[in-house]
Amino acid sequence: MNVLLLGSGGREHALAMKIAQSPRLNSLFIAPGNSGTARHGQNVPLNILDFEEIEKFTVNNRIELIVAGPEEPLVKGIADFFAGKQPAVIGPSKKGAALEGSKDFAKNFMVKYNIPTARYKSFDHAQLSQGYDFLDSLAPPFVLKADGLAAGKGVIIVNELSEAKSALKEMLDGKFGAASQRVVIEEYLRGVEVSVFVLTDGKSYKILPEAKDYKRIGDGDSGLNTGGMGAVSPVPFVDEIFTAKVRDKIIEPTIKGLQAENIDYRGFIFFGLMNCAGEPYLIEYNVRMGDPETEVVMPRLDADILELFEGVAKGSLNGKQCGVSAKNAVTVVAVSGGYPENYMKGYEIKGIESVKNDIVFHAGAVEKNGKIFTAGGRVLTVTSLADNLSEAVESAYKSIQNIKFTDIYYRKDIGKDLLKETSVLK
Ligand code: AMP
Ligand code: GLY
């Protein structure tokens, strides 16, 4: 099979690695890719939002499958563009992608299909005073979300009512452009977050390994929000009972809801959950895999991913094998100093080749004349797979010390909160 993978992050390096392990693969192309994806296939400089350009490439290179890494091409309708023609696209139609592209659509969907979620209301510019009234009716902290895609920055959580009101006004006045023309205000959920992923052909689904993401820049979950600073899989509290609740209350109603709405959904669904005293609540949907979650999910996936993708494309996923390794995976993200605010690019990265026992996934990294240079905020991630969490944490941290670039920064506590949790449980 000839495959075109879209995207350029650590997630895409992990997907490229998994795709390249498949005996079904003939050629893998990655657009635009990074210095890591280039080790598993050929990077091609395509604009992933220019579907005509992508189509020309797929015809010339006899591509049979497009795998969408990030959400933008899906929200813009790449699956609809190729519907009914070759190649098949792994990722939902535009209507399905609205589960991520519009928080208001997603919340309406959750309520309609009885999926547990935080109580909410949404407001546009003309409804500012109703928005203030709704805030008055809630207890702090206050959660405000831009309806549309805002590069992961559209969620504001504040403790003071006055701050919440000014944030609402600023958002409706265009703080996040068109994304915040409508704002969702919701009840604050207290609990521990976990991400659950499924792959679906619209009828059946496979549950992939779950993961915990570390979103804040600083140790102990302090400082600014980021795209993700590390991840762990499995997550200790996700036992059979919790998984059964997630399946019955969240995954199944979602798949049935998509069918009832006649939404063509063939791809990944990422459920961002909050575990509130043992009960799962859905915070958000994403219509793609997570980053850096993919960097712990793919190494634990015991399956031929192209066989699964073929099942997704042909509607025959039910009969496919999808095993999960019992091993523990931990990934630590190394970022450019200053991220998630301003940072420098173009520093040489050294030491990647000296990491022998773990996997280095490249993210914001490019290769020039045989050398690797930083090219983004999140530069690379180091994933370790071991028999237990403590060994995986130890190994990932040992390996990452071999990697050097100017102003490198990474969190020192990834997975360590869960180590404490498991030792207390024992
Ligand atoms: P979202 O983009 O919807 O995932 O929100 C970003 C982050 O804000 C989530 O990962 C949570 O940490 C937090 N968050 C969002 N909604 C809520 C909520 N209702 N209660 C508590 N925290 C939330
Ligand atoms: N790591 C969070 C995300 O991919 O959305």
Side-chain angles (χ1 to χ4, degrees):
M1 195 188 284
N2 294 331
V3 179
L4 173 64
L5 169 64
L6 307 181
S8 61
R11 167 182 51 210
E12 285 73 26
H13 185 175
L15 285 167
M17 179 194 77
K18 199 73 195 167
I19 292 169
Q21 286 168 2
S22 170
R24 286 158 200 261
L25 183 69
N26 187 15
S27 296
L28 173 62
F29 299 92
I30 311 97
N34 62 33
S35 47
T37 61
R39 296 171 184 210
H40 302 288
Q42 191 186 327
N43 288 345
V44 285
L46 299 174
N47 172 359
I48 65 171
L49 299 179
D50 184 341
F51 305 153
E52 310 273 346
E53 185 186 347
I54 291 177
E55 187 173 32
K56 267 186 217 140
F57 180 85
T58 62
V59 170
N60 291 339
N61 293 280
R62 282 182 270 133
I63 301 292
E64 294 152 270
L65 191 74
I66 296 177
V67 180
E71 66 280 9
E72 291 94 340
L74 297 166
V75 172
K76 295 218 156 70
I78 190 166
D80 308 74
F81 181 90
F82 285 103
K85 41 183 180 174
Q86 277 281 0
V89 175
I90 301 300
S93 61
K94 191 171 180 167
K95 235 171 129 190
L99 285 181
E100 177 165 357
S102 165
K103 302 250 184 220
D104 187 44
F105 175 79
K107 294 292 290 191
N108 276 316
F109 183 93
M110 293 176 210
V111 170
K112 186 165 177 191
Y113 294 100
N114 255 323
I115 295 166
T117 189
R119 201 163 60 90
Y120 83 105
K121 278 191 177 159
S122 76
F123 303 92
D124 64 20
H125 198 265
Q127 299 164 312
L128 183 63
S129 67
Q130 287 100 309
Y132 289 162
D133 292 345
F134 187 59
L135 284 169
D136 284 330
S137 77
L138 295 174
F142 303 95
V143 183
L144 291 91
K145 301 182 176 185
D147 175 47
L149 293 181
K153 299 198 174 101
V155 176
I156 292 180
I157 301 180
V158 291
N159 281 311
E160 297 298 325
L161 182 61
S162 57
E163 267 182 88
K165 287 186 177 173
S166 38
L168 176 64
K169 182 164 184 343
E170 277 174 29
M171 285 168 95
L172 291 174
D173 282 345
K175 179 170 181 167
F176 300 108
S180 65
Q181 273 170 3
R182 177 165 280 280
V183 174
V184 168
I185 302 178
E186 67 181 38
E187 202 174 44
Y188 184 82
L189 295 172
R190 252 167 250 283
V192 189
E193 278 181 69
V194 60
S195 308
V196 169
F197 307 95
V198 307
L199 185 60
T200 181
D201 60 4
K203 297 177 290 189
S204 69
Y205 61 89
K206 302 283 182 196
I207 302 184
L208 308 178
E210 79 281 358
K212 178 182 195 282
D213 177 21
Y214 293 76
K215 288 207 169 78
R216 303 292 194 92
I217 187 74
D219 286 4
D221 292 330
S222 59
L224 294 174
N225 246 328
T226 70
M229 295 295 293
V232 171
S233 176
V235 179
F237 67 76
V238 181
D239 54 13
E240 270 179 37
I241 297 172
F242 189 79
T243 304
K245 286 181 185 169
V246 173
R247 196 184 53 226
D248 297 345
K249 297 182 177 188
I250 294 175
I251 300 175
E252 300 252 337
T254 298
I255 304 285
K256 290 196 180 113
L258 290 168
Q259 288 167 352
E261 301 286 321
N262 264 322
I263 292 177
D264 185 12
Y265 203 113
R266 277 173 281 175
F268 293 104
I269 313 178
F270 168 156
F271 300 89
L273 304 178
M274 189 75 89
N275 175 359
C276 302
E279 289 301 316
Y281 284 77
L282 184 57
I283 297 181
E284 63 163 351
Y285 288 109
N286 292 307
V287 299
R288 50 168 174 85
M289 285 298 293
D291 195 352
E293 292 93 327
T294 309
E295 291 93 305
V296 289
V297 170
M298 286 304 139
R300 290 191 65 224
L301 191 64
D302 191 6
D304 175 343
I305 201 166
L306 286 188
E307 193 183 342
L308 293 177
F309 286 160
E310 201 175 79
V312 169
K314 294 191 174 149
S316 58
L317 184 62
N318 205 13
K320 307 289 183 191
Q321 288 298 319
C322 181
V324 172
S325 147
K327 292 206 172 201
N328 287 252
V330 170
T331 202
V332 179
V333 181
V335 304
S336 300
Y339 172 83
E341 296 185 290
N342 294 334
Y343 55 82
M344 302 288 285
K345 298 182 196 173
Y347 294 125
E348 188 176 351
I349 308 170
K350 290 193 172 145
I352 292 179
E353 304 311 327
S354 64
V355 175
K356 297 283 182 237
N357 300 322
D358 294 326
I359 316 169
V360 179
F361 291 117
H362 301 205
V366 291
E367 187 161 355
K368 276 184 215 140
N369 306 323
K371 292 181 176 174
I372 316 264
F373 296 90
T374 65
R378 292 191 293 173
V379 173
L380 54 83
T381 89
V382 178
T383 297
S384 176
L385 201 59
D387 289 336
N388 60 55
L389 180 59
S390 120
E391 277 175 37
V393 167
E394 195 180 327
S395 182
Y397 276 109
K398 209 166 148 199
S399 293
I400 206 167
Q401 280 170 28
N402 290 304
I403 293 176
K404 312 270 181 218
F405 57 84
T406 304
D407 295 336
I408 183 172
Y409 169 79
Y410 50 88
R411 274 180 67 162
K412 309 294 182 294
D413 64 343
I414 304 300
K416 294 184 183 169
D417 53 328
L418 299 175
L419 274 179
K420 277 188 226 138
E421 205 174 286
T422 37
S423 59
V424 167
L425 290 176
K426 278 178 197 153

